[in-house]
Amino acid sequence: MFWDLVSNYYSVFENLFNGKVNSEMCKHVAEKIDSNDDVLECACGTGMHSNP
């Protein structure tokens, strides 16, 4: 499968092409989540937005 072949490089390209946007999005998501909250993130790639 395609994603099996590229999965090892996914994070590298994600940071290279979307690093600044992802960093800002993580900050906004973190503002919405309390440290006592449980978060379920399903089928969302590496989970970087809820686990920065």
Side-chain angles (χ1 to χ4, degrees):
M1 301 300 265
F2 174 76
W3 290 111
D4 291 335
L5 297 173
V6 299
S7 63
N8 291 330
Y9 307 101
Y10 186 86
S11 294
V12 173
F13 284 105
E14 187 66 19
N15 288 329
L16 181 65
F17 292 110
N18 297 316
K20 185 175 180 182
V21 171
N22 288 340
S23 177
E24 288 299 315
M25 189 176 351
C26 286
K27 289 177 190 175
H28 290 290
V29 169
E31 291 172 359
K32 306 290 184 196
I33 300 172
D34 184 70
S35 62
N36 295 318
D37 289 344
D38 292 322
V39 175
L40 174 63
E41 182 176 272
C42 297
C44 296
T46 62
M48 70 151 308
H49 296 116
S50 63
N51 191 22

